[in-house]
Amino acid sequence: QVQLVESGGGLVQAGDSLRLSCAASGLTFSLYVMGWFRQAPGKAREFVAAISSSGGSTYYTDSVKGRFTISRDNAKNTVYLQMNSLKPEDSAVYYCAAQRGLTIFAPLRDYAYWGQGTQVTVSS
């Protein structure tokens, strides 16, 4: 079965960096658009970034543009989220997700597979 396993979360101070990883198995990784989402306590899950199946196109929510970078290594079946200049408002559980569609602009509901999430906490 399909498994997405996130890692790399933790407790950091404002201004620090973290790199999240998501290892995928049970699917032909290179055919899937991959996305990162996050959910803070009491809030809805929200889109953070997406990357096309080839890695050639990326898309970010406005609040992370210039600070976060999504990338992938299809040989390792892994997608990454490099997070720099972290802010307290970035604190959330971060999820990676996979969708078989063709667009990096797909909404959350189009993502078929989800990881269990990794906690990111940014202290001020």
Side-chain angles (χ1 to χ4, degrees), residues 96-107:
C96 73
Q99 57 113 341
R100 187 59 184 86
L102 298 177
T103 176
I104 56 176
F105 305 108

Side-chain angles (χ1 to χ4, degrees), residues 9 13 22 32 34 36 40 52-53 70-71 74 78 82 92 98 103 107 115 121:
Q13 293 186 333
C22 172
Y32 282 75
M34 299 299 295
W36 284 97
S52 62
S53 57
I70 188 171
S71 62
N74 285 350
T78 302
Q82 177 67 44
T103 176
T121 304

